[in-house]
Amino acid sequence: MRITIVGAGSAGTYLAKYLSGEHMDIFIIDKDASKLAMLDAEYNLMAVLGDGTASSTLKRAEVEKCDLFLAVTEACGLAKSMGAKMTVSRVDRYDYMEKHYRGVLQSMGVDKVIFPEYLISKSIIESLKHAWARNWYEFNHGEMILVGVRLSANAPLSGMYLRDLPMAQRFFHVVLVRRNFITLIPKGNCQLQPNDILYITTSASRQEDVAVLAGKQLFEIKRVLIAGGDKITEMTLNNAPKHFSFTVVEKDLDRARALTRNCPNCDVIHGEPSEYEVLEEAGVKRADAFVALADTSEGNILSCLMARDMGVRKTIADVERQQFLSMAESFNIGAILNKQMLMANATFQILIDAGSLSSKCLMLPEAEVVRLEIKEGAKVTKALVKDLNIPEEITFAGLIRNGKSEVVTGHTLLVPGDHILVVCLKGSLQKAKTLFDF
C-alpha cells in the first residue's frame, strides 16, 4: 500500500513515523530539505522535496500510484485528478464536517476530512463524561471499553499480583501498565503498584466495578472551567451536553468578546489563565473540572497543576509538543490530549473503513491495538489461550464472538470467525500478525 503525506510538520511527521513501520510505502512531501533529510535518515520512507500543491512535485512522488493521499484541500483535488485512489484533507473549519458539505468536497476531489481541533473537542467531552478515567476508548459499538486509569495507593488492586486475582474478578483484563515512562505487557508475576497507569478492558456494564478496584471515586462533573478560548473551546461549548456549566478564561480581549457572542450560554472572563488570582476569580475552587487549552503545552501543564492544588478533581491538558508528554504524565495531569496521536488514530480508522488496513485500530503510549479475525485452521485455535506460545510483547485484550464482547482468560478457546483485540508493544505488530497466520 502506498500513502503520500504532504507536510513534514508535527502531525505529518508523527503519522509518517508510525505508518513507515507498517510495511507500507510512505512518501512525504515538504519544501524544507532539512526536515526531510532527518526523516529520510531515521525512517523507512521516501522524502520528496517540493510544493505539495504543484503538479510537478506530485508527478515526482508518483501520486497516480497512491492509495491514500493526505494533505490540504487544494492538494487533494490535484492529486485526485492525477489518479490518487483516496484523498483525505486536513481542514480547519467545522462547516466541512457537516453532511451538506460532503458533495461539495467530493466535487473538489476530497473523499474524507480530518479536523484535528474537532477531534480534541470530542475527546474533551468524552473525558468529562467519564470523570474517573484518564483515557476512554470504545469497541464493538460501545459494548467493550478500554480505559486508562492511574492506580491509587488505597486501591484494592494496589500491591496485588495479577496471578492472585480471583476468577470471580476476571470481568476485566489489565492489558498494559505504564510505570516510570516504560510501557509493560503485564504477566501473572506483575505486581501492580501505586501510581501505575493501567489500561484495562472490560464490558461497559462493569465500568463502575473497575473504577472501584482502581481506587477511584465516581462523581459527576457539572461545573467546568476552561483556560483558553480558541476554536476548540467554542466547539466544546456548542457540542457538550447541556448539563455542563462552563466558564472560560481568555487573555485575548478580541477572542473573549467573540466567544461571548458565539457561545452566550457560558461565562467568559478576560484574564491570564496562568495567574492564581484570575483562576480564583473565575471560580476554580468551585469547579469540578479544569481544561487547559492555552497556546503552549508547558502553560497548559502548569495551569492544570495550579488547578489541582486549588482543589479541582479532574484536569485535562492539551499537550502538543511530544517532549512534554512524559512531563505531563509524571506530574499526574489527569487526561492528556495530543493532536498528532488523535490524527493518526483517525487516519487508521479511515483506512480500516475503506478496507485498506486490516488490523490496526488504535495507538496507545508505546503500544498498538489491532483487531484481527481468526481464520480457519489458525494455530491459535489449537489450544486454550494459556497453552499458546504467546510472545511477551503481546496480550489479548478482548474477544468479539457472534457480535458479543467478552474478556479473554487463560481458559478461552478461540474459534474461526472470532474477532480478537490484540495489544502489542510498539514494533511487535508483525509478531501479532504471524501468531494469527496473517
Side-chain angles (χ1 to χ4, degrees), residues 15-81:
L15 187 59
K17 287 178 181 178
Y18 271 86
L19 290 174
S20 66
E22 296 297 309
H23 303 282
M24 299 178 184
D25 296 325
I26 306 300
F27 286 68
I28 187 162
I29 301 171
D30 200 275
K31 298 177 183 178
D32 190 327
S34 60
K35 288 182 180 179
L36 294 179
M38 182 182 66
L39 285 170
D40 191 34
E42 294 187 20
Y43 300 97
N44 182 27
L45 49 76
M46 288 289 295
V48 180
L49 181 64
D51 183 352
T53 62
S55 58
S56 57
T57 303
L58 297 187
K59 284 180 181 177
R60 284 192 286 110
E62 299 181 317
V63 74
E64 71 277 2
K65 300 177 183 178
C66 177
D67 296 292
L68 183 138
F69 183 87
L70 180 62
V72 295
T73 303
E74 179 184 358
C76 283
L78 182 58
K80 193 73 170 182
S81 69

Side-chain angles (χ1 to χ4, degrees), residues 131-171:
W132 64 274
R134 295 169 57 91
N135 309 94
W136 185 276
Y137 308 103
E138 297 183 352
F139 301 95
N140 200 27
H141 310 292
E143 188 178 304
M144 177 177 289
I145 58 173
L146 170 62
V147 297
V149 58
R150 187 180 290 271
L151 191 62
S152 300
N154 60 348
L157 288 180
S158 184
M160 183 174 288
Y161 287 91
L162 290 182
R163 63 171 177 256
D164 295 332
L165 282 173
M167 289 302 298
Q169 291 187 345
R170 295 302 173 91
F171 58 84

Side-chain angles (χ1 to χ4, degrees), residues 29 40 167 213 222 259 279 311 330 332 351 356 382 419 423:
I29 301 171
D40 191 34
M167 289 302 298
L213 287 172
K222 293 182 179 179
L259 196 62
L279 291 183
S330 68
N332 195 15
L351 290 170
S356 301
K382 307 302 182 184
H419 286 256
V423 176

Side-chain angles (χ1 to χ4, degrees), residues 123 127 133-135 290 304 308 314-319 328 332-337:
S123 295
S127 189
R134 295 169 57 91
N135 309 94
F290 178 83
C304 278
R308 288 184 69 87
K314 174 79 173 186
T315 57
I316 304 170
D318 178 23
V319 181
N332 195 15
I333 301 298
I336 303 169
L337 306 178

Side-chain angles (χ1 to χ4, degrees), residues 175-194:
V175 299
L176 277 182
V177 175
R178 281 282 288 174
R179 180 180 296 163
N180 299 326
F181 312 124
I182 297 174
T183 301
L184 311 168
I185 296 282
K187 304 301 179 183
N189 61 353
C190 176
Q191 184 182 30
L192 303 180
Q193 301 176 9

Side-chain angles (χ1 to χ4, degrees), residues 154-358:
N154 60 348
L157 288 180
S158 184
M160 183 174 288
Y161 287 91
L162 290 182
R163 63 171 177 256
D164 295 332
L165 282 173
M167 289 302 298
Q169 291 187 345
R170 295 302 173 91
F171 58 84
F172 69 95
H173 180 31
V174 181
V175 299
L176 277 182
V177 175
R178 281 282 288 174
R179 180 180 296 163
N180 299 326
F181 312 124
I182 297 174
T183 301
L184 311 168
I185 296 282
K187 304 301 179 183
N189 61 353
C190 176
Q191 184 182 30
L192 303 180
Q193 301 176 9
N195 291 319
D196 282 350
I197 299 174
L198 308 182
Y199 288 85
I200 302 172
T201 50
T202 189
S203 64
S205 62
R206 302 301 297 268
Q207 58 180 282
E208 294 185 3
D209 298 314
V210 169
V212 171
L213 287 172
K216 301 302 175 183
Q217 293 182 349
L218 299 174
F219 67 98
E220 183 181 8
I221 290 176
K222 293 182 179 179
R223 296 180 296 273
V224 183
L225 177 59
I226 301 180
D230 61 4
K231 67 178 70 174
I232 298 173
T233 302
E234 189 169 330
M235 280 185 290
T236 301
L237 296 174
N238 290 331
N239 293 316
K242 300 303 180 185
H243 70 269
F244 291 126
S245 173
F246 290 98
T247 300
V248 180
V249 178
E250 171 53 53
K251 65 180 180 180
D252 184 272
L253 182 57
D254 291 336
R255 198 185 292 176
R257 287 171 173 166
L259 196 62
T260 301
R261 291 192 302 270
N262 297 335
C263 305
N265 294 326
C266 79
D267 295 325
V268 181
I269 294 175
H270 175 230
E272 174 55 64
S274 63
E275 294 181 0
Y276 183 96
E277 293 78 9
V278 174
L279 291 183
E280 194 170 36
E281 179 189 347
V284 66
K285 293 181 179 179
R286 300 186 301 276
D288 302 308
F290 178 83
V291 185
L293 299 174
D295 297 330
T296 65
S297 298
E298 54 268 47
N300 288 337
I301 293 171
L302 291 173
S303 59
C304 278
L305 288 173
M306 191 183 304
R308 288 184 69 87
D309 287 342
M310 298 172 80
V312 180
R313 299 178 69 180
K314 174 79 173 186
T315 57
I316 304 170
D318 178 23
V319 181
E320 294 306 318
R321 296 179 66 180
Q322 296 294 315
Q323 60 266 44
F324 286 109
L325 289 174
S326 294
M327 178 193 295
E329 184 179 294
S330 68
F331 286 158
N332 195 15
I333 301 298
I336 303 169
L337 306 178
N338 178 264
K339 186 186 300 180
Q340 290 87 354
M341 185 174 288
L342 290 172
M343 279 191 65
N345 281 332
T347 303
F348 293 146
Q349 191 58 55
I350 288 171
L351 290 170
I352 291 169
D353 293 343
S356 301
L357 190 67
S358 62

